[in-house]
Amino acid sequence: MPKLKKVFICQNCGTASPKWQGQCPDCGEWNTLASEMTGRASRPGPGSRRVETSSLAILAQTEQPRLGSGSGELDRVLGGGLVPGSVILLGGDPGIGKSTLMLQAAAALQQHGAVLYATGEESLRQVALRARRLGLAQATAQLLAETCVEDILAAATAAKVRVLIIDSIQTMYSRGLESAPGAVSQLRESTASLVRYAKTTGTAVLLVGHVTKDGQIAGPRVLEHMVDTVLYFESDTGSRFRVLRSVKNRFGAANEIGVFAMAEQGLREVTNPSAIFLSRHAEPVPGSVITVMREGTRSLLIEVQVLADASLGANPRRVAVGIDGNRLTMLLAVAHRHGGLALHGQDVFANVVGGVRLAETAGDLAIIIAARSSLQDRPVPNSLVAFGELGLAGEIRPVPFGEERLREAAKHGFTEALVPEANVPKRPPDGMSVRGVTRLSQALEP
Ligand code: TYD
Ligand code: MG
């Protein structure tokens, strides 16, 4: 029997300290240390067990079939379906639809074999009620309201499940530990047991995870290292669109997105989301320009708005929503120096419509054109899209996937494009005229 010892573990980063302190010595967070009991195993002797090695070439030749989740968008984010034996962690704010997504996936995944949905948050009645609402009353997936990992794994083994869903990992505990569910050591131990189970049996395991105030999956970062795939479910407040994003994926591209809409009957896929963030104005308005953003393998059309207004204070304000504030300040400086835009003495507000975050430099050109449009109170034609990165010397730099961006814009009826010279394709998309520029001064020519 291992000896139990009391240690203080930071609930933020997982560092263990022998005594309590107000601040974690590792991550610097305050008041995050909590006492937990840990067992110390006896010192292991030298390995005497014979272990087998395997040939990579032989293993690499056997292709792993993937389990389709019934949702094209979820499969896309996973890189083409669930890999047997993999562990997927799904994080997101409360009420965003994690349980709904998992229940819908459970019903679709039963075509591949037995599915077990273990819930530690809701009663069986609540889950059943939701299933009814989702029109899944005929689903044969097994339900279990249980929070003990060992019992869940026993049930999963007995039912020979191919897919195991845990909602949520923060409610689970392992009998081997004395700390409460949700404590760092419990989270780590429960996840480790589930990962071990997935790898030894080839079961695909889906874990739902809570997020903290700042949007990270609650618990130590090690949780994200232990699993194969980490997905985040996100949404803007008030929007019915939900974006599923892969931030880590051992079996597919990271940063891939899938888009869903929350409807009366649960989550509906949005298979062609490129223009959902676009609000078409009947008349062109000053200060508004459409650009094309890349998310994973997708091109999204988004609207950038800038409002320049005479400032009354000594220090003009620069406010950026959905764009990095430092980048906005930098772009305005370049616009002044190399484009002759007199923006000093002007408050400048920049916004990306629809609560989208434009993290790409490809939006630079659109932001400056929108700024000029607002400053001169002259609308930009609403048949135009613009993208391109801006350098400090006033040069317009090419961006990746120029052709894909242009094609997406052409598909939605845009007929003019202003892009970096190097992004001009040999054959522009049908019905679109593409103008290439190398300098900002060229781009701002009327
Ligand atoms: P839920 O899946 O319980 O969220 P999570 O598990 O991430 O906390 O989603 C709950 C929200 O979704 C709730 O606010 C109601 C809404 N909803 C719908 O709009 N339509 C539906 O069909 C369902 C099941 C939920
Ligand atoms: Mg839930």
Side-chain angles (χ1 to χ4, degrees), residues 354-404:
V356 183
R357 252 210 87 71
L358 178 59
E360 259 192 327
T361 53
D364 293 357
L365 190 54
I367 294 171
I368 292 202
I369 293 180
R372 182 187 61 174
S373 165
S374 173
L375 187 67
Q376 304 180 341
D377 204 22
R378 264 205 340 225
V380 174
N382 55 6
S383 54
L384 176 94
V385 289
F387 60 82
E389 178 180 335
L390 201 69
L392 285 182
E395 80 276 23
I396 309 276
R397 299 162 172 274
V399 297
F401 303 105
E403 220 175 318
E404 284 85 347

mmCIF file of all heavy atoms in Angstrom, residues 354-404:
data_model
loop_
_atom_site.group_PDB
_atom_site.id
_atom_site.type_symbol
_atom_site.label_atom_id
_atom_site.label_comp_id
_atom_site.label_asym_id
_atom_site.label_seq_id
_atom_site.Cartn_x
_atom_site.Cartn_y
_atom_site.Cartn_z
ATOM 1 N N GLY A 354 -19.529 41.129 -36.771
ATOM 2 C CA GLY A 354 -19.926 39.769 -36.417
ATOM 3 C C GLY A 354 -19.115 39.173 -35.291
ATOM 4 O O GLY A 354 -19.182 37.985 -35.027
ATOM 5 N N GLY A 355 -18.319 40.013 -34.597
ATOM 6 C CA GLY A 355 -17.538 39.508 -33.474
ATOM 7 C C GLY A 355 -16.409 38.590 -33.878
ATOM 8 O O GLY A 355 -15.891 37.852 -33.059
ATOM 9 N N VAL A 356 -16.023 38.649 -35.153
ATOM 10 C CA VAL A 356 -14.936 37.795 -35.632
ATOM 11 C C VAL A 356 -13.606 38.389 -35.186
ATOM 12 O O VAL A 356 -13.468 39.606 -35.087
ATOM 13 C CB VAL A 356 -14.965 37.708 -37.169
ATOM 14 C CG1 VAL A 356 -13.899 36.778 -37.692
ATOM 15 C CG2 VAL A 356 -16.328 37.284 -37.636
ATOM 16 N N ARG A 357 -12.623 37.544 -34.898
ATOM 17 C CA ARG A 357 -11.268 38.031 -34.620
ATOM 18 C C ARG A 357 -10.421 37.893 -35.872
ATOM 19 O O ARG A 357 -10.270 36.814 -36.411
ATOM 20 C CB ARG A 357 -10.623 37.199 -33.507
ATOM 21 C CG ARG A 357 -10.501 37.952 -32.235
ATOM 22 C CD ARG A 357 -9.325 37.514 -31.398
ATOM 23 N NE ARG A 357 -8.104 38.232 -31.778
ATOM 24 C CZ ARG A 357 -7.871 39.506 -31.536
ATOM 25 N NH1 ARG A 357 -8.766 40.240 -30.912
ATOM 26 N NH2 ARG A 357 -6.758 40.071 -31.919
ATOM 27 N N LEU A 358 -9.904 39.005 -36.318
ATOM 28 C CA LEU A 358 -9.045 38.997 -37.502
ATOM 29 C C LEU A 358 -7.606 38.974 -37.021
ATOM 30 O O LEU A 358 -7.036 39.999 -36.686
ATOM 31 C CB LEU A 358 -9.337 40.244 -38.347
ATOM 32 C CG LEU A 358 -8.510 40.443 -39.606
ATOM 33 C CD1 LEU A 358 -8.667 39.272 -40.545
ATOM 34 C CD2 LEU A 358 -8.905 41.719 -40.305
ATOM 35 N N ALA A 359 -7.033 37.786 -36.947
ATOM 36 C CA ALA A 359 -5.679 37.667 -36.394
ATOM 37 C C ALA A 359 -4.642 37.663 -37.505
ATOM 38 O O ALA A 359 -3.454 37.649 -37.257
ATOM 39 C CB ALA A 359 -5.570 36.388 -35.575
ATOM 40 N N GLU A 360 -5.110 37.692 -38.749
ATOM 41 C CA GLU A 360 -4.210 37.569 -39.895
ATOM 42 C C GLU A 360 -3.743 38.931 -40.369
ATOM 43 O O GLU A 360 -4.519 39.885 -40.377
ATOM 44 C CB GLU A 360 -5.011 36.975 -41.047
ATOM 45 C CG GLU A 360 -4.805 35.534 -41.276
ATOM 46 C CD GLU A 360 -5.436 35.191 -42.604
ATOM 47 O OE1 GLU A 360 -6.458 35.805 -42.974
ATOM 48 O OE2 GLU A 360 -4.895 34.348 -43.282
ATOM 49 N N THR A 361 -2.524 38.978 -40.872
ATOM 50 C CA THR A 361 -2.043 40.240 -41.430
ATOM 51 C C THR A 361 -2.678 40.518 -42.799
ATOM 52 O O THR A 361 -2.580 41.631 -43.301
ATOM 53 C CB THR A 361 -0.521 40.207 -41.602
ATOM 54 O OG1 THR A 361 -0.192 39.039 -42.359
ATOM 55 C CG2 THR A 361 0.173 40.147 -40.270
ATOM 56 N N ALA A 362 -3.345 39.532 -43.353
ATOM 57 C CA ALA A 362 -3.967 39.718 -44.667
ATOM 58 C C ALA A 362 -5.055 40.784 -44.640
ATOM 59 O O ALA A 362 -5.466 41.287 -45.684
ATOM 60 C CB ALA A 362 -4.551 38.398 -45.151
ATOM 61 N N GLY A 363 -5.507 41.159 -43.455
ATOM 62 C CA GLY A 363 -6.563 42.165 -43.354
ATOM 63 C C GLY A 363 -6.039 43.591 -43.418
ATOM 64 O O GLY A 363 -6.825 44.542 -43.499
ATOM 65 N N ASP A 364 -4.707 43.771 -43.393
ATOM 66 C CA ASP A 364 -4.110 45.114 -43.320
ATOM 67 C C ASP A 364 -4.641 46.076 -44.384
ATOM 68 O O ASP A 364 -5.047 47.202 -44.082
ATOM 69 C CB ASP A 364 -2.587 45.024 -43.487
ATOM 70 C CG ASP A 364 -1.917 44.321 -42.318
ATOM 71 O OD1 ASP A 364 -2.635 43.970 -41.358
ATOM 72 O OD2 ASP A 364 -0.694 44.115 -42.372
ATOM 73 N N LEU A 365 -4.623 45.606 -45.624
ATOM 74 C CA LEU A 365 -4.988 46.485 -46.729
ATOM 75 C C LEU A 365 -6.433 46.954 -46.591
ATOM 76 O O LEU A 365 -6.745 48.129 -46.788
ATOM 77 C CB LEU A 365 -4.776 45.736 -48.059
ATOM 78 C CG LEU A 365 -4.889 46.556 -49.326
ATOM 79 C CD1 LEU A 365 -3.967 47.754 -49.284
ATOM 80 C CD2 LEU A 365 -4.554 45.700 -50.548
ATOM 81 N N ALA A 366 -7.314 46.035 -46.212
ATOM 82 C CA ALA A 366 -8.727 46.393 -46.054
ATOM 83 C C ALA A 366 -8.902 47.433 -44.959
ATOM 84 O O ALA A 366 -9.712 48.368 -45.099
ATOM 85 C CB ALA A 366 -9.546 45.148 -45.743
ATOM 86 N N ILE A 367 -8.126 47.320 -43.880
ATOM 87 C CA ILE A 367 -8.262 48.260 -42.761
ATOM 88 C C ILE A 367 -7.878 49.673 -43.217
ATOM 89 O O ILE A 367 -8.567 50.651 -42.940
ATOM 90 C CB ILE A 367 -7.375 47.820 -41.566
ATOM 91 C CG1 ILE A 367 -7.906 46.491 -41.006
ATOM 92 C CG2 ILE A 367 -7.355 48.880 -40.483
ATOM 93 C CD1 ILE A 367 -7.002 45.846 -39.975
ATOM 94 N N ILE A 368 -6.790 49.771 -43.979
ATOM 95 C CA ILE A 368 -6.348 51.101 -44.424
ATOM 96 C C ILE A 368 -7.322 51.696 -45.436
ATOM 97 O O ILE A 368 -7.636 52.890 -45.402
ATOM 98 C CB ILE A 368 -4.929 51.010 -45.000
ATOM 99 C CG1 ILE A 368 -3.988 50.686 -43.844
ATOM 100 C CG2 ILE A 368 -4.541 52.295 -45.689
ATOM 101 C CD1 ILE A 368 -2.578 51.039 -44.065
ATOM 102 N N ILE A 369 -7.829 50.869 -46.319
ATOM 103 C CA ILE A 369 -8.785 51.394 -47.303
ATOM 104 C C ILE A 369 -10.056 51.844 -46.599
ATOM 105 O O ILE A 369 -10.642 52.873 -46.928
ATOM 106 C CB ILE A 369 -9.057 50.334 -48.382
ATOM 107 C CG1 ILE A 369 -7.770 50.129 -49.174
ATOM 108 C CG2 ILE A 369 -10.188 50.773 -49.298
ATOM 109 C CD1 ILE A 369 -7.882 49.122 -50.257
ATOM 110 N N ALA A 370 -10.447 51.087 -45.567
ATOM 111 C CA ALA A 370 -11.634 51.483 -44.799
ATOM 112 C C ALA A 370 -11.373 52.793 -44.068
ATOM 113 O O ALA A 370 -12.250 53.661 -43.996
ATOM 114 C CB ALA A 370 -12.006 50.383 -43.805
ATOM 115 N N ALA A 371 -10.139 52.957 -43.551
ATOM 116 C CA ALA A 371 -9.801 54.194 -42.840
ATOM 117 C C ALA A 371 -9.874 55.390 -43.790
ATOM 118 O O ALA A 371 -10.439 56.432 -43.451
ATOM 119 C CB ALA A 371 -8.403 54.078 -42.232
ATOM 120 N N ARG A 372 -9.344 55.210 -45.003
ATOM 121 C CA ARG A 372 -9.397 56.333 -45.938
ATOM 122 C C ARG A 372 -10.837 56.640 -46.333
ATOM 123 O O ARG A 372 -11.242 57.791 -46.424
ATOM 124 C CB ARG A 372 -8.591 56.041 -47.203
ATOM 125 C CG ARG A 372 -8.650 57.281 -48.103
ATOM 126 C CD ARG A 372 -8.058 57.115 -49.438
ATOM 127 N NE ARG A 372 -8.697 56.095 -50.245
ATOM 128 C CZ ARG A 372 -8.378 55.880 -51.499
ATOM 129 N NH1 ARG A 372 -7.440 56.602 -52.065
ATOM 130 N NH2 ARG A 372 -8.974 54.936 -52.177
ATOM 131 N N SER A 373 -11.591 55.577 -46.542
ATOM 132 C CA SER A 373 -12.975 55.743 -46.943
ATOM 133 C C SER A 373 -13.754 56.548 -45.904
ATOM 134 O O SER A 373 -14.532 57.435 -46.240
ATOM 135 C CB SER A 373 -13.601 54.354 -47.139
ATOM 136 O OG SER A 373 -14.986 54.438 -47.198
ATOM 137 N N SER A 374 -13.489 56.247 -44.615
ATOM 138 C CA SER A 374 -14.196 56.971 -43.565
ATOM 139 C C SER A 374 -13.703 58.414 -43.476
ATOM 140 O O SER A 374 -14.486 59.353 -43.346
ATOM 141 C CB SER A 374 -13.992 56.256 -42.228
ATOM 142 O OG SER A 374 -14.543 57.023 -41.190
ATOM 143 N N LEU A 375 -12.376 58.580 -43.591
ATOM 144 C CA LEU A 375 -11.789 59.914 -43.481
ATOM 145 C C LEU A 375 -12.329 60.831 -44.567
ATOM 146 O O LEU A 375 -12.654 61.989 -44.330
ATOM 147 C CB LEU A 375 -10.262 59.784 -43.602
ATOM 148 C CG LEU A 375 -9.458 61.047 -43.351
ATOM 149 C CD1 LEU A 375 -9.574 61.446 -41.893
ATOM 150 C CD2 LEU A 375 -7.990 60.826 -43.717
ATOM 151 N N GLN A 376 -12.437 60.303 -45.783
ATOM 152 C CA GLN A 376 -12.891 61.132 -46.901
ATOM 153 C C GLN A 376 -14.392 61.065 -47.096
ATOM 154 O O GLN A 376 -14.921 61.681 -48.005
ATOM 155 C CB GLN A 376 -12.172 60.689 -48.182
ATOM 156 C CG GLN A 376 -10.662 60.746 -48.035
ATOM 157 C CD GLN A 376 -9.938 60.316 -49.293
ATOM 158 O OE1 GLN A 376 -10.516 59.648 -50.146
ATOM 159 N NE2 GLN A 376 -8.670 60.693 -49.398
ATOM 160 N N ASP A 377 -15.053 60.248 -46.266
ATOM 161 C CA ASP A 377 -16.494 60.063 -46.362
ATOM 162 C C ASP A 377 -16.910 59.632 -47.777
ATOM 163 O O ASP A 377 -17.909 60.083 -48.320
ATOM 164 C CB ASP A 377 -17.227 61.350 -45.956
ATOM 165 C CG ASP A 377 -18.641 61.046 -45.483
ATOM 166 O OD1 ASP A 377 -18.893 59.894 -45.077
ATOM 167 O OD2 ASP A 377 -19.498 61.948 -45.548
ATOM 168 N N ARG A 378 -16.075 58.754 -48.338
ATOM 169 C CA ARG A 378 -16.363 58.248 -49.687
ATOM 170 C C ARG A 378 -16.501 56.746 -49.623
ATOM 171 O O ARG A 378 -15.548 56.063 -49.247
ATOM 172 C CB ARG A 378 -15.204 58.603 -50.624
ATOM 173 C CG ARG A 378 -15.426 59.854 -51.410
ATOM 174 C CD ARG A 378 -14.632 59.866 -52.708
ATOM 175 N NE ARG A 378 -13.508 58.958 -52.768
ATOM 176 C CZ ARG A 378 -12.304 59.280 -53.228
ATOM 177 N NH1 ARG A 378 -12.063 60.495 -53.648
ATOM 178 N NH2 ARG A 378 -11.339 58.393 -53.288
ATOM 179 N N PRO A 379 -17.659 56.202 -49.945
ATOM 180 C CA PRO A 379 -17.823 54.749 -49.832
ATOM 181 C C PRO A 379 -16.959 53.985 -50.836
ATOM 182 O O PRO A 379 -16.632 54.497 -51.903
ATOM 183 C CB PRO A 379 -19.302 54.511 -50.092
ATOM 184 C CG PRO A 379 -19.793 55.739 -50.757
ATOM 185 C CD PRO A 379 -18.893 56.868 -50.389
ATOM 186 N N VAL A 380 -16.613 52.753 -50.466
ATOM 187 C CA VAL A 380 -15.895 51.855 -51.361
ATOM 188 C C VAL A 380 -16.965 51.036 -52.076
ATOM 189 O O VAL A 380 -17.939 50.632 -51.451
ATOM 190 C CB VAL A 380 -14.968 50.935 -50.533
ATOM 191 C CG1 VAL A 380 -14.300 49.892 -51.392
ATOM 192 C CG2 VAL A 380 -13.944 51.769 -49.788
ATOM 193 N N PRO A 381 -16.832 50.794 -53.383
ATOM 194 C CA PRO A 381 -17.861 50.014 -54.083
ATOM 195 C C PRO A 381 -18.104 48.684 -53.374
ATOM 196 O O PRO A 381 -17.148 48.047 -52.937
ATOM 197 C CB PRO A 381 -17.269 49.787 -55.470
ATOM 198 C CG PRO A 381 -16.062 50.625 -55.572
ATOM 199 C CD PRO A 381 -15.726 51.184 -54.241
ATOM 200 N N ASN A 382 -19.366 48.259 -53.254
ATOM 201 C CA ASN A 382 -19.583 47.008 -52.517
ATOM 202 C C ASN A 382 -19.403 45.763 -53.374
ATOM 203 O O ASN A 382 -19.768 44.671 -52.989
ATOM 204 C CB ASN A 382 -20.917 46.995 -51.764
ATOM 205 C CG ASN A 382 -22.083 47.278 -52.666
ATOM 206 O OD1 ASN A 382 -21.913 47.378 -53.885
ATOM 207 N ND2 ASN A 382 -23.257 47.418 -52.090
ATOM 208 N N SER A 383 -18.779 45.947 -54.544
ATOM 209 C CA SER A 383 -18.398 44.785 -55.340
ATOM 210 C C SER A 383 -16.928 44.446 -55.135
ATOM 211 O O SER A 383 -16.390 43.567 -55.780
ATOM 212 C CB SER A 383 -18.629 45.107 -56.819
ATOM 213 O OG SER A 383 -17.938 46.299 -57.136
ATOM 214 N N LEU A 384 -16.256 45.191 -54.197
ATOM 215 C CA LEU A 384 -14.802 45.061 -54.046
ATOM 216 C C LEU A 384 -14.406 44.253 -52.811
ATOM 217 O O LEU A 384 -14.980 44.415 -51.741
ATOM 218 C CB LEU A 384 -14.183 46.456 -53.934
ATOM 219 C CG LEU A 384 -12.670 46.479 -53.667
ATOM 220 C CD1 LEU A 384 -11.888 46.581 -54.954
ATOM 221 C CD2 LEU A 384 -12.290 47.612 -52.739
ATOM 222 N N VAL A 385 -13.413 43.371 -52.987
ATOM 223 C CA VAL A 385 -12.742 42.788 -51.820
ATOM 224 C C VAL A 385 -11.280 43.198 -51.878
ATOM 225 O O VAL A 385 -10.735 43.428 -52.965
ATOM 226 C CB VAL A 385 -12.803 41.241 -51.771
ATOM 227 C CG1 VAL A 385 -14.188 40.747 -51.467
ATOM 228 C CG2 VAL A 385 -12.232 40.615 -53.021
ATOM 229 N N ALA A 386 -10.647 43.290 -50.700
ATOM 230 C CA ALA A 386 -9.234 43.662 -50.646
ATOM 231 C C ALA A 386 -8.548 42.838 -49.578
ATOM 232 O O ALA A 386 -9.111 42.600 -48.526
ATOM 233 C CB ALA A 386 -9.094 45.149 -50.327
ATOM 234 N N PHE A 387 -7.373 42.348 -49.890
ATOM 235 C CA PHE A 387 -6.541 41.726 -48.858
ATOM 236 C C PHE A 387 -5.087 41.919 -49.200
ATOM 237 O O PHE A 387 -4.748 42.207 -50.353
ATOM 238 C CB PHE A 387 -6.880 40.242 -48.665
ATOM 239 C CG PHE A 387 -6.714 39.369 -49.889
ATOM 240 C CD1 PHE A 387 -5.465 38.877 -50.240
ATOM 241 C CD2 PHE A 387 -7.823 39.038 -50.672
ATOM 242 C CE1 PHE A 387 -5.322 38.069 -51.370
ATOM 243 C CE2 PHE A 387 -7.677 38.227 -51.788
ATOM 244 C CZ PHE A 387 -6.431 37.745 -52.140
ATOM 245 N N GLY A 388 -4.216 41.811 -48.201
ATOM 246 C CA GLY A 388 -2.792 42.005 -48.398
ATOM 247 C C GLY A 388 -2.163 42.485 -47.106
ATOM 248 O O GLY A 388 -2.817 43.139 -46.303
ATOM 249 N N GLU A 389 -0.908 42.116 -46.930
ATOM 250 C CA GLU A 389 -0.198 42.536 -45.728
ATOM 251 C C GLU A 389 0.567 43.806 -46.018
ATOM 252 O O GLU A 389 1.070 44.003 -47.121
ATOM 253 C CB GLU A 389 0.764 41.419 -45.292
ATOM 254 C CG GLU A 389 1.583 41.775 -44.066
ATOM 255 C CD GLU A 389 2.532 40.674 -43.631
ATOM 256 O OE1 GLU A 389 2.260 39.496 -43.943
ATOM 257 O OE2 GLU A 389 3.537 40.997 -42.986
ATOM 258 N N LEU A 390 0.660 44.678 -45.003
ATOM 259 C CA LEU A 390 1.345 45.936 -45.192
ATOM 260 C C LEU A 390 2.655 45.945 -44.414
ATOM 261 O O LEU A 390 2.682 45.592 -43.236
ATOM 262 C CB LEU A 390 0.440 47.056 -44.684
ATOM 263 C CG LEU A 390 0.777 48.408 -45.247
ATOM 264 C CD1 LEU A 390 0.445 48.457 -46.718
ATOM 265 C CD2 LEU A 390 -0.011 49.464 -44.501
ATOM 266 N N GLY A 391 3.740 46.337 -45.066
ATOM 267 C CA GLY A 391 5.031 46.432 -44.388
ATOM 268 C C GLY A 391 5.279 47.854 -43.930
ATOM 269 O O GLY A 391 4.617 48.792 -44.377
ATOM 270 N N LEU A 392 6.251 48.043 -43.044
ATOM 271 C CA LEU A 392 6.530 49.376 -42.495
ATOM 272 C C LEU A 392 7.059 50.324 -43.554
ATOM 273 O O LEU A 392 6.988 51.533 -43.411
ATOM 274 C CB LEU A 392 7.550 49.268 -41.356
ATOM 275 C CG LEU A 392 6.997 48.723 -40.036
ATOM 276 C CD1 LEU A 392 8.078 48.711 -38.977
ATOM 277 C CD2 LEU A 392 5.822 49.561 -39.569
ATOM 278 N N ALA A 393 7.625 49.804 -44.638
ATOM 279 C CA ALA A 393 8.140 50.667 -45.700
ATOM 280 C C ALA A 393 7.052 51.031 -46.708
ATOM 281 O O ALA A 393 7.324 51.588 -47.757
ATOM 282 C CB ALA A 393 9.300 49.971 -46.392
ATOM 283 N N GLY A 394 5.813 50.661 -46.398
ATOM 284 C CA GLY A 394 4.717 50.989 -47.289
ATOM 285 C C GLY A 394 4.549 49.995 -48.416
ATOM 286 O O GLY A 394 3.813 50.239 -49.372
ATOM 287 N N GLU A 395 5.236 48.849 -48.311
ATOM 288 C CA GLU A 395 5.103 47.845 -49.365
ATOM 289 C C GLU A 395 3.937 46.908 -49.045
ATOM 290 O O GLU A 395 3.607 46.687 -47.880
ATOM 291 C CB GLU A 395 6.414 47.048 -49.526
ATOM 292 C CG GLU A 395 6.660 45.940 -48.524
ATOM 293 C CD GLU A 395 7.277 46.415 -47.205
ATOM 294 O OE1 GLU A 395 7.131 47.597 -46.863
ATOM 295 O OE2 GLU A 395 7.882 45.579 -46.503
ATOM 296 N N ILE A 396 3.301 46.391 -50.089
ATOM 297 C CA ILE A 396 2.206 45.441 -49.903
ATOM 298 C C ILE A 396 2.772 44.052 -50.139
ATOM 299 O O ILE A 396 3.261 43.754 -51.227
ATOM 300 C CB ILE A 396 1.061 45.699 -50.907
ATOM 301 C CG1 ILE A 396 0.645 47.166 -50.892
ATOM 302 C CG2 ILE A 396 -0.110 44.768 -50.647
ATOM 303 C CD1 ILE A 396 -0.328 47.558 -49.853
ATOM 304 N N ARG A 397 2.708 43.220 -49.108
ATOM 305 C CA ARG A 397 3.298 41.887 -49.209
ATOM 306 C C ARG A 397 2.240 40.843 -49.528
ATOM 307 O O ARG A 397 1.094 40.968 -49.105
ATOM 308 C CB ARG A 397 3.937 41.495 -47.879
ATOM 309 C CG ARG A 397 5.033 42.399 -47.453
ATOM 310 C CD ARG A 397 5.270 42.202 -45.963
ATOM 311 N NE ARG A 397 6.455 42.923 -45.561
ATOM 312 C CZ ARG A 397 7.682 42.396 -45.648
ATOM 313 N NH1 ARG A 397 7.868 41.183 -46.075
ATOM 314 N NH2 ARG A 397 8.724 43.110 -45.289
ATOM 315 N N PRO A 398 2.674 39.807 -50.252
ATOM 316 C CA PRO A 398 1.712 38.741 -50.583
ATOM 317 C C PRO A 398 1.286 37.951 -49.347
ATOM 318 O O PRO A 398 2.005 37.913 -48.354
ATOM 319 C CB PRO A 398 2.491 37.849 -51.544
ATOM 320 C CG PRO A 398 3.921 38.146 -51.279
ATOM 321 C CD PRO A 398 3.993 39.568 -50.827
ATOM 322 N N VAL A 399 0.133 37.316 -49.428
ATOM 323 C CA VAL A 399 -0.376 36.486 -48.331
ATOM 324 C C VAL A 399 -0.605 35.075 -48.860
ATOM 325 O O VAL A 399 -0.783 34.882 -50.064
ATOM 326 C CB VAL A 399 -1.692 37.068 -47.759
ATOM 327 C CG1 VAL A 399 -1.451 38.435 -47.161
ATOM 328 C CG2 VAL A 399 -2.780 37.119 -48.814
ATOM 329 N N PRO A 400 -0.585 34.065 -47.990
ATOM 330 C CA PRO A 400 -0.820 32.698 -48.463
ATOM 331 C C PRO A 400 -2.250 32.486 -48.959
ATOM 332 O O PRO A 400 -3.163 33.201 -48.527
ATOM 333 C CB PRO A 400 -0.527 31.825 -47.244
ATOM 334 C CG PRO A 400 -0.451 32.732 -46.072
ATOM 335 C CD PRO A 400 -0.237 34.110 -46.567
ATOM 336 N N PHE A 401 -2.431 31.547 -49.850
ATOM 337 C CA PHE A 401 -3.740 31.128 -50.364
ATOM 338 C C PHE A 401 -4.478 32.248 -51.089
ATOM 339 O O PHE A 401 -5.691 32.377 -50.972
ATOM 340 C CB PHE A 401 -4.634 30.575 -49.241
ATOM 341 C CG PHE A 401 -4.008 29.435 -48.505
ATOM 342 C CD1 PHE A 401 -3.490 29.608 -47.234
ATOM 343 C CD2 PHE A 401 -3.918 28.184 -49.104
ATOM 344 C CE1 PHE A 401 -2.893 28.557 -46.562
ATOM 345 C CE2 PHE A 401 -3.324 27.131 -48.429
ATOM 346 C CZ PHE A 401 -2.811 27.312 -47.157
ATOM 347 N N GLY A 402 -3.742 33.075 -51.838
ATOM 348 C CA GLY A 402 -4.377 34.179 -52.543
ATOM 349 C C GLY A 402 -5.450 33.709 -53.505
ATOM 350 O O GLY A 402 -6.542 34.277 -53.574
ATOM 351 N N GLU A 403 -5.156 32.638 -54.235
ATOM 352 C CA GLU A 403 -6.102 32.195 -55.256
ATOM 353 C C GLU A 403 -7.390 31.665 -54.627
ATOM 354 O O GLU A 403 -8.486 31.949 -55.107
ATOM 355 C CB GLU A 403 -5.438 31.126 -56.133
ATOM 356 C CG GLU A 403 -5.801 31.301 -57.581
ATOM 357 C CD GLU A 403 -5.056 30.337 -58.487
ATOM 358 O OE1 GLU A 403 -3.846 30.140 -58.265
ATOM 359 O OE2 GLU A 403 -5.704 29.795 -59.398
ATOM 360 N N GLU A 404 -7.230 30.901 -53.541
ATOM 361 C CA GLU A 404 -8.410 30.366 -52.859
ATOM 362 C C GLU A 404 -9.289 31.508 -52.341
ATOM 363 O O GLU A 404 -10.510 31.452 -52.416
ATOM 364 C CB GLU A 404 -7.986 29.482 -51.672
ATOM 365 C CG GLU A 404 -7.464 28.121 -52.055
ATOM 366 C CD GLU A 404 -5.982 28.135 -52.411
ATOM 367 O OE1 GLU A 404 -5.404 29.218 -52.608
ATOM 368 O OE2 GLU A 404 -5.398 27.038 -52.499
#
